[in-house]
Every structure is written in C-alpha cells, then in structure tokens.
Amino acid sequence: MKLYRFLTGPDDATFCHKVTAAVNKGWHLFGSPTYSFDADSKTMRCGQAVVKDVEGHDYEAGVTKLSDF
C-alpha cells in the first residue's frame, strides 16, 4: 500500500524535526513544501507532504493508523 501524510507545524525547528523524523522512518518527501501566514496566531506555518510504500498491508480507511508506520 502507499501511504500519504501532510505534515504541518510552525516555522521553527520543531517542524524540521518532524519532517526529519518521518524521513528517518522511511517516508519520502512528496512535492514542494508550503509556507503561509496564519492570521489567527500571527505566525508563519509550514507544510510538507510525505509518502511511504508499505508491503504486505492493505489500506483500510478508519482502521489503518499512519502513526504505526
């Protein structure tokens, strides 16, 4: 199965660590990162899509937990 996640976070080191952790768990960057202003919190927010191929498992909506992979 192919899994997809969209990671988001504030424009600081925590976001970079979140993406780094995903890459080190076998996730691959997918597309370009995003960057936008959050008017409510008056801060910049980052986003990055990641994908991962997992053999031997079938995806089931509502059952498959992305955090398990």
Side-chain angles (χ1 to χ4, degrees):
M1 87 178 136
K2 182 175 280 276
L3 300 175
Y4 171 90
R5 292 175 65 191
F6 188 70
L7 306 174
T8 62
D11 179 24
D12 62 15
T14 61
F15 176 74
C16 294
H17 286 286
K18 184 185 292 188
V19 174
T20 299
V23 169
N24 279 284
K25 290 181 180 178
W27 293 83
H28 300 278
L29 301 179
F30 184 78
S32 299
T34 60
Y35 194 62
S36 65
F37 182 71
D38 180 346
D40 291 336
S41 65
K42 297 182 177 27
T43 60
M44 295 302 292
R45 304 277 301 167
C46 302
Q48 175 65 58
V50 293
V51 294
K52 184 175 188 177
D53 290 315
V54 179
E55 299 295 325
H57 294 275
D58 293 322
Y59 175 77
E60 295 180 58
V63 176
T64 301
K65 292 176 62 176
L66 298 177
S67 60
D68 290 344
F69 300 97

